[in-house]
């Protein structure tokens, strides 16, 4: 490996305890790796050069830990962070694993479950903030249904909104420097999860009491599960000022959530994504929400994690080549043709502009005949990605 692709803190590469700590169990098979402690996982991440570590409350503190046990675990974890220099940019709540959340957390039909979810989240926010988190993620894995006979979807939305409004006020009341980032997923583990895409979440955020505190944590595999273009979701979030965090991974098209190593499958989409993040100078974490194949031992887990970062850095270098490639840039300039006659029609409406535009004699036949050279441009991109350019 060349030094060029060596991860550095400024790259802001982060992993969840649940990602490198994934033991490989799935609905069909048992764990294939022994469970490592949070402290061991912090050291593993330090060894491979990660910048930060994120966690669900229960990745760190078991669901039934006593307050004394909690305090000891937090002390040990803090010491591991100090020893390694790793930081905790993001934290989140596990509102999906325990059977109590089988019908959802904030959207469950039972009000006691909904309030328990709020209690658990307030405590988890306290924990995240104590460890330095500035972003708090909400992934509503159980917030949905198998059958719409069971829940009024508008009630689901109202309950989710009420919970987020409550939690924003909690954050403000505590004086925490914390932003909330919502993560969409179309399905799995529920048959249908409410607010299934990043676009749906953006619409929903606008209905909250504190929309300025709430943004997105889009995940590549989740948009691909919905058959969507992840870059477009990310661009919309960015353009709306809502790209608070990002979950990078990969998967084999429209399937179950495979959570593969970043860039392992959709190289071209991954390239355009990295190019976008770097071009707009996105400054948040590059979080890999993925895990190693079930075939791997912990050496393989390190290979997986190193691979995520290495591929990101290679694609970043390719993006710089794309930006500097004279032929590519020439074609882009040509495509984005500049006609001074159109300048007067740009921008906002005014009646005179509309009148002039209505009367303008466009040469539609010539416009329609114009070849765009997109085949050439795309092939140049492919050549560049395949390393022959
Ligand atoms: C998934 C999700 C989760 C969340 C995590 C943090 O499909 O399991 O992507 O991994 O990202 O719970 O919110
Ligand atoms: Mn996922
Ligand atoms: Mn995720």
């Amino acid at each position: 490996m060349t030094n060029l692709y060596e991860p550095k803190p400024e790259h802001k590469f982060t992993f969840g305890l649940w990602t490198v700590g994934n033991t490989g169990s799935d609905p069909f098979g048992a764990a294939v790796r022994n469970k490592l402690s949070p402290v061991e996982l912090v050291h593993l991440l330090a060894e491979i050069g990660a910048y930060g570590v994120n966690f669900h409350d229960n990745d760190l503190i078991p669901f039934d830990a006593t307050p004394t046990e909690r305090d000891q675990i937090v002390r040990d974890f803090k010491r591991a962070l100090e020893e390694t220099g790793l930081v905790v940019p993001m934290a989140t709540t596990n509102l999906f694993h325990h059977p109590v959340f089988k019908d959802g957390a904030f959207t469950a039909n039972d009000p006691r479950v909904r309030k328990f979810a709020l209690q658990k989240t307030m405590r988890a926010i306290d924990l995240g903030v104590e460890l330095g988190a500035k972003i708090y993620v909400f992934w509503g894995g159980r917030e949905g249904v198998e059958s719409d006979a069971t829940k009024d979807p508008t009630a689901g939305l109202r309950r989710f909104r009420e919970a987020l409004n409550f939690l924003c006020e909690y954050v403000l009341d505590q004086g925490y420097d914390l932003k909330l980032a919502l993560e969409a997923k179309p399905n799995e583990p529920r048959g249908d999860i409410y607010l299934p895409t990043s676009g749906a979440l953006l619409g929903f955020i606008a209905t909250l009491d504190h929309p300025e505190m709430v943004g997105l944590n889009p995940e590549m595999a989740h948009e691909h599960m919905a058959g969507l273009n992840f870059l477009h979701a990310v661009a919309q979030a960015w353009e709306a000022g809502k790209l608070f965090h990002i979950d990078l991974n990969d998967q084999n098209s429209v399937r179950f959530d495979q959570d593969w190593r970043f860039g392992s499958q959709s190289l071209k989409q991954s390239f355009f994504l990295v190019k976008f993040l770097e071009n707009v100078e996105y400054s948040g974490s590059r979080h890999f929400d993925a895990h190693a194949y079930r075939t791997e031992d912990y050496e393989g887990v390190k290979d997986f994690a190193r691979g995520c970062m290495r591929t990101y850095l290679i694609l970043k270098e390719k993006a710089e080549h794309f930006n500097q490639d004279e032929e590519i840039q020439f074609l882009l300039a040509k495509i984005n043709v500049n006609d001074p006659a159109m300048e007067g029609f740009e921008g906002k409406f005014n009646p005179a502009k509309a009148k002039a535009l209505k009367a303008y004699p466009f040469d539609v036949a010539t416009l329609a005949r114009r070849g765009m050279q997109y085949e050439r441009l795309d092939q140049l991109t492919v050549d560049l990605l395949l390393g022959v350019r």
Side-chain angles (χ1 to χ4, degrees):
M1 292 201 187
T2 71
N3 275 344
L4 199 58
Y5 309 132
E6 194 187 309
K8 303 212 177 68
E10 73 248 29
H11 299 132
K12 298 208 178 152
F13 291 136
T14 65
F15 291 83
L17 285 179
W18 71 95
T19 64
V20 281
N22 179 287
T23 56
S25 61
D26 68 17
F28 302 93
V32 294
R33 293 182 281 270
N34 60 313
K35 202 169 157 44
L36 297 189
S37 71
V39 167
E40 288 171 314
L41 290 168
V42 168
H43 286 281
L44 183 152
L45 285 174
E47 184 189 330
I48 54 122
Y51 160 74
V53 57
N54 305 317
F55 56 82
H56 301 85
D57 51 352
N58 300 137
D59 298 337
L60 190 58
I61 319 281
F63 189 88
D64 45 12
T66 64
T68 321
E69 285 163 349
R70 176 202 187 275
D71 292 348
Q72 186 58 48
I73 292 168
V74 170
R75 269 199 300 277
D76 294 345
F77 192 68
K78 277 185 179 163
R79 192 173 333 112
L81 294 175
E82 273 159 28
E83 281 166 11
T84 57
L86 256 74
V87 294
V88 175
M90 177 272 256
T92 182
T93 329
N94 187 325
L95 295 172
F96 44 89
H97 190 266
H98 195 282
V100 72
F101 299 125
K102 62 192 174 197
D103 182 39
F106 302 136
T107 64
N109 275 334
D110 188 326
R112 292 163 296 192
V113 175
R114 297 203 293 275
K115 298 312 155 201
F116 173 64
L118 272 185
Q119 178 197 74
K120 189 174 195 288
T121 305
M122 286 189 288
R123 290 178 180 171
I125 286 177
D126 296 345
L127 174 69
V129 169
E130 183 181 345
L131 287 160
K134 297 273 185 293
I135 298 287
Y136 203 84
V137 164
F138 289 80
W139 171 64
R142 298 275 175 202
E143 313 291 13
V145 292
E146 282 68 48
S147 164
D148 284 315
T150 63
K151 221 179 272 180
D152 171 357
T154 61
L157 292 176
R158 276 199 310 277
R159 290 169 185 167
F160 196 46
R161 181 182 299 116
E162 194 180 297
L164 287 173
N165 285 341
F166 187 97
L167 292 166
C168 281
E169 294 291 349
Y170 176 72
V171 167
L172 291 172
D173 188 51
Q174 296 294 311
Y176 290 155
D177 174 17
L178 191 70
K179 288 196 160 186
L180 279 43
L182 313 185
E183 177 178 343
K185 187 174 182 181
N187 59 277
E188 199 196 338
R190 292 315 288 266
D192 282 291
I193 298 177
Y194 294 135
L195 297 162
T197 62
S198 295
L201 281 175
L202 279 177
F204 175 75
I205 289 171
T207 71
L208 297 175
D209 289 348
H210 289 284
E212 74 286 355
M213 291 174 67
V214 186
L216 292 190
N217 176 38
E219 172 169 320
M220 182 147 176
H222 295 180
E223 299 291 324
H224 286 185
M225 285 172 74
L228 299 175
N229 181 318
F230 183 57
L231 171 63
H232 294 186
V234 168
Q236 192 188 357
W238 174 261
E239 217 254 347
K242 294 295 186 194
L243 190 64
F244 287 8
H245 199 263
I246 193 164
D247 276 3
L248 301 173
N249 55 10
D250 209 344
Q251 86 156 45
N252 200 346
S253 177
V254 187
R255 301 203 180 169
F256 68 95
D257 192 21
Q258 294 171 311
D259 285 334
W260 284 347
R261 189 179 78 255
F262 179 63
S264 60
Q265 179 71 18
S266 333
L267 261 185
K268 200 172 169 192
Q269 282 107 310
S270 304
F271 164 70
F272 287 121
L273 176 72
V274 170
K275 182 163 90 64
F276 179 85
L277 293 176
E278 297 301 320
N279 281 355
V280 300
E281 296 178 19
Y282 164 74
S283 63
S285 295
R286 275 78 171 159
H287 173 68
F288 297 106
D289 189 9
H291 50 75
Y293 301 144
R294 198 159 175 272
T295 48
E296 303 309 291
D297 58 11
Y298 276 104
E299 283 311 308
V301 171
K302 289 180 208 166
D303 290 338
F304 143 80
R306 287 193 180 105
C308 288
M309 300 185 286
R310 180 174 169 83
T311 300
Y312 187 100
L313 292 174
I314 295 170
L315 293 177
K316 181 177 167 186
E317 190 191 32
K318 297 280 180 196
E320 281 157 23
H321 289 175
F322 184 98
N323 292 342
Q324 284 157 16
D325 187 298
E326 278 180 21
E327 193 174 355
I328 289 176
Q329 293 309 316
F330 172 77
L331 282 177
L332 281 172
K334 220 167 130 194
I335 287 159
N336 292 287
V337 58
N338 195 3
D339 183 343
M342 293 297 107
E343 276 163 22
F345 302 137
E346 301 286 2
K348 282 207 164 135
F349 172 89
N350 72 52
K353 196 189 273 185
K355 192 169 172 218
L357 180 55
K358 272 173 100 177
Y360 188 83
F362 286 100
D363 181 357
V364 173
T366 305
L367 285 179
R369 267 197 309 272
R370 182 178 171 231
M372 303 299 289
Q373 291 180 278
Y374 288 180
E375 285 288 359
R376 173 114 196 96
L377 180 57
D378 188 71
Q379 185 60 41
L380 290 173
T381 310
V382 170
D383 279 10
L384 191 143
L385 282 178
L386 294 180
V388 297
R389 200 172 163 71

